[in-house]
Structures are given as C-alpha cells and as structure tokens.
Amino acid sequence: MLTSLAFVFLSGLAAASICQRMRLPRIIGMLIAGIVIGPHIFNLLDPSILRISADLRQMALVIILLKAGLTLNLSDLKKVGRPAVLISFVPACFEVIAYFLFAPQLLGITRMDAAVLGAVMSAVSPAVVVPRMVRLIESQYGTKHCVPQLILAGASCDDVFVIVLFSTFTTMAQGGSARITDFINIPISIFLGIAVGAAVGWMLSSFLEIMRSHQQEIRSSLKTIIMLSISFILLALEAHIKKYIPVSGLLAVISMACILQIKCPPSVSQGLSAKFGKLWLGAEVLLFVLVGAAVDIRYTLNAGVPAAAMIIAALLIRSAGVFLCLIGTQLNRKERIFCIIAYLPKATVQAAIGAVPLALGLPCGQIVLSVAVLSIMITAPLGALGIDLSFSALLTYDG
C-alpha cells in the first residue's frame, strides 16, 4: 500500500510537471500516469489500494467541494437564479436523448441499452470542473455575471440527477419498471442535502463562536480536521439512509461550507479555504491518478470510430442544451461559449459507474464500459485544456 501511494504521488507529480512545461493542464499528466502505473499496463499498484480507490477519490472530491463552499458567495449564486437550476439537468437530458436516438444506429444496441449508455455518459465531472471554477472565482474572472458560480452550482447538482437516471434505466434493462418515486426523489435529494448541510454548518459555526467567546480559539488545522470528519459522516449518512430518505451527501458538504463562510468571520473562512487549498495539492494527484488507473486502455480499441463519433455528436447536442439554459441571461456570447466548454469534461462518474452494467450482466455492459473509457480519454483533457486556455479570452477580469 505505501509503495503504491509513493508511485501514485511521484508519477502523478512528475507527469503533471511535464505537462505544465508543455503548457498543458496538469490533469492530463496525472491521468496518463494513472493509466501507465495501473493494473492494465505496468500493474505497479497494490490490489488493496485499488479496492479502496473509489473511497480515496471521494475523499479528494470532498476536499475540493469544501474549498468551493468556502469560496462560493451565496449572494452571487442568488443572482444566477433560473439558469443554475436548468443547467443542473437540461444538458444531461439532451445528452441522454442523443444516445437514445443515435446509439442504436451507430453502435448496434437496443433503445433500452442506449438509455443506459446515455445515463452513464451524461454526467459532467465535478473533479475536473469544480477546482477550475474555484480558481476563477479567486482570481475574479467572469464573476461580474457569476459565470464560474453558475457552472460550479450546476456541476454539483448534475451528478445527483444523472445517477438517479442511471439506476432507473438499469432496473428497466434488467426487466424491472421505472418508478415515479425515483424521479420525485431527485429534488428531494437536492433539497435535503442542502438543508442538512446548512443545519450542520450552522451548528458547527455556533460551536466555533462559543469557543471564541470563551477565549479558546481552535486552530485552523484542527478546524480543517473537524470539517473533514463531519463531511465523511455526511457521506456515510447518505449511504445508510438512501433506501428510506434520499439525501445528497456531496451537496450537504458544500452547503455546510457555504454556511460556515457566512457565519464565521472572514479571517476564519479565508484561513480554512487556504488550508483546503494546500490539502488539494495532494488530493488532486490522488484523485486523477486513481481515475486514470481505473481506465482500461484496451476497451478504447474495442470502441472504435463509431463510439468516438457518438461521443462527439452527443457533446454537440449537450452543448445545445447548455446554450438553451442561458437564453435570457445577462451572459454575453463569449461567456456562453465558455459555459459550453466547461460542461464538456467527463471522468469521475464514468470511472465509477462505467463498469456497473457489465457487472450486472447486461448485454450492453461491454460497449458501455468501452465508450465510458473512451469518453474519459477524449473529454477530460479536452475540457480541462479548453477551460485553461480560453478563460482569459472569453471571460472578463473583474478584479
């Protein structure tokens, strides 16, 4: 395990540094490093670390979501309004419809299998998008019209919607039937996640205030550990009660951080944000190298040109969905183009659920995994590179 972690960090940092020197996003190097040291090429990682890979990736995601919550200004989010709600599900619906209509002809699968494939493919990657939007908020690019806040909020809710669609379609593909309660649970999960996180954030901020009033100020490092521990409990809560009450653990995490930012003095929230920024230096490497390790490069050979054509066609239709969500907003043409680019990358969700249909024994399992792997290799670098190269040209500096 320790040797594997050393391989993860050293190879990830080295590959990221090489890409940075080539003026490419660091994430590309980390993904390539994970693919190379993963079980499908040199197999340098211990099986024990691969078994807990999903948990480690989730821990890394929690760190960047906490930093996002401590950075996100709720008053800015209120200005966004309707587009933030629409962009959390409309682009995903457009992409699912694209697969449903065109995948049977291009990939030779049934309509039901195409719906399963579309559900796997339609989630945007918060791991790629969120840290970049946080950086834009901190550097004050596009903040006048709340562009990074809009994308950050939409990407955080998008996965909740997509995963419900995926579970529904896989049930139907196995011979079950869709339940209306599954779709009713989507807004309930989002609302309860925000509400639970807000309540926990209020209690935590009150506790910190009491400690300050008694002149027993807690160090920022200890506050960071407390926030991480509570975040892990919120995710565990989601896993334990989701059969009875739907609640989004990740939204609860970001909601808790937002309330702390509002309730605590600026020096406290800024100190915590800085701490999570430092933690993200290591968590980013862990997240993307392990995502790369989950990618079996052999499946891309099975996918072929039709799969690549299907991915590109679905991205174009998804982009039309993003554009539709932004009609009637204050965003100018360049800012709308940036939103479209920011909604391209896929990685985390596809790596997590891409193999599930194959494990369930569905006829489409092999092609779903092949297309999911290919989509990560195409869209994660494309989206990261697009955001990093275009933000200064497409967004205004509002500092």
Side-chain angles (χ1 to χ4, degrees):
M1 172 82 76
L2 295 178
T3 307
S4 296
L5 285 173
F7 282 137
V8 166
F9 284 112
L10 293 177
S11 64
L13 289 171
S17 179
I18 292 169
C19 283
Q20 197 168 21
R21 288 178 178 274
M22 297 170 63
R23 299 187 181 279
L24 295 173
R26 291 163 55 85
I27 177 184
I28 297 176
M30 296 175 199
L31 288 170
I32 293 172
I35 293 170
V36 171
I37 69 173
H40 308 296
I41 297 186
F42 288 122
N43 195 23
L44 299 178
L45 299 181
D46 191 275
S48 59
I49 199 171
L50 295 174
R51 283 195 293 270
I52 62 170
S53 173
D55 295 320
L56 292 174
R57 295 201 304 266
Q58 195 170 46
M59 288 169 61
L61 194 56
V62 163
I63 290 171
I64 193 56
L65 287 176
L66 284 171
K67 180 166 176 59
L70 291 166
T71 306
L72 188 61
N73 190 325
L74 289 186
S75 63
D76 289 339
L77 200 56
K78 288 178 184 177
K79 297 177 188 175
V80 176
R82 174 186 59 86
V85 176
L86 292 178
I87 207 169
S88 65
F89 70 93
V90 171
C93 288
F94 271 57
E95 192 163 5
V96 171
I97 291 170
Y99 278 94
F100 185 78
L101 293 177
F102 302 120
Q105 287 77 28
L106 286 172
L107 303 177
I109 57 179
T110 66
R111 295 285 180 193
M112 192 65 255
D113 291 342
V116 173
L117 176 59
V120 171
M121 299 298 297
S122 58
V124 70
S125 174
V128 179
V129 173
V130 170
R132 282 167 170 76
M133 296 308 107
V134 170
R135 192 164 67 240
L136 291 180
I137 293 172
E138 291 177 338
S139 57
Q140 298 187 49
Y141 272 93
T143 51
K144 181 180 179 181
H145 291 161
C146 307
V147 175
Q149 292 92 328
L150 165 66
I151 297 168
L152 197 158
S156 301
C157 297
D158 173 272
D159 291 354
V160 177
F161 176 70
V162 166
I163 289 171
V164 171
L165 283 184
F166 173 71
S167 62
T168 302
F169 289 148
T170 49
T171 300
M172 293 171 66
Q174 289 177 293
S177 58
R179 296 176 301 175
I180 191 66
T181 53
D182 292 334
F183 295 96
I184 294 174
N185 284 343
I186 294 173
I188 295 175
S189 175
I190 293 172
F191 174 78
L192 285 181
I194 294 171
V196 169
V200 172
W202 183 83
M203 288 188 288
L204 181 56
S205 62
S206 299
F207 168 72
L208 296 176
E209 178 61 33
I210 291 170
M211 297 299 290
R212 277 196 304 274
S213 66
H214 288 79
Q215 297 182 348
Q216 295 181 354
E217 179 73 39
I218 301 174
R219 294 171 54 190
S220 292
S221 300
L222 292 178
K223 292 173 188 170
T224 303
I225 295 171
I226 292 170
M227 286 183 68
L228 277 174
S229 302
I230 293 173
S231 299
F232 297 153
I233 291 172
L234 289 173
L235 293 178
L237 178 69
E238 176 189 8
H240 282 94
I241 68 170
K242 64 182 180 181
K243 291 183 179 179
Y244 313 103
I245 305 173
V247 57
S248 171
L250 292 179
L251 283 179
V253 168
I254 198 170
S255 175
M256 176 185 71
C258 285
I259 296 300
L260 278 171
Q261 183 207 155
I262 295 170
K263 296 273 292 177
C264 293
S267 59
V268 174
S269 59
Q270 289 167 8
L272 286 170
S273 179
K275 289 290 184 184
F276 283 110
K278 292 175 182 177
L279 282 176
W280 176 243
L281 293 174
E284 179 186 33
V285 179
L286 191 67
L287 174 61
F288 289 113
V289 172
L290 290 178
V291 167
V295 170
D296 190 343
I297 197 75
R298 295 170 298 179
Y299 284 115
T300 60
L301 302 176
N302 296 333
V305 175
M310 182 67 247
I311 291 169
I312 293 169
L315 288 178
L316 291 173
I317 295 173
R318 177 188 184 87
S319 300
V322 175
F323 184 81
L324 183 66
C325 295
L326 303 177
I327 292 175
T329 64
Q330 294 182 332
L331 273 62
N332 60 40
R333 181 173 58 86
K334 288 184 177 180
E335 289 169 335
R336 296 182 189 197
I337 292 172
F338 179 80
C339 291
I340 289 171
I341 294 171
Y343 248 60
L344 293 179
K346 304 174 187 302
T348 324
V349 175
Q350 287 71 26
I353 65 175
V356 171
L358 185 63
L360 292 175
L362 297 179
C364 63
Q366 184 73 52
I367 190 64
V368 169
L369 182 56
S370 300
V371 178
V373 169
L374 188 60
S375 75
I376 294 172
M377 298 185 67
I378 292 174
T379 64
L382 178 66
L385 195 61
I387 294 170
D388 292 348
L389 294 181
S390 70
F391 76 89
S392 59
L394 298 177
L395 301 180
T396 57
Y397 174 65
D398 302 315

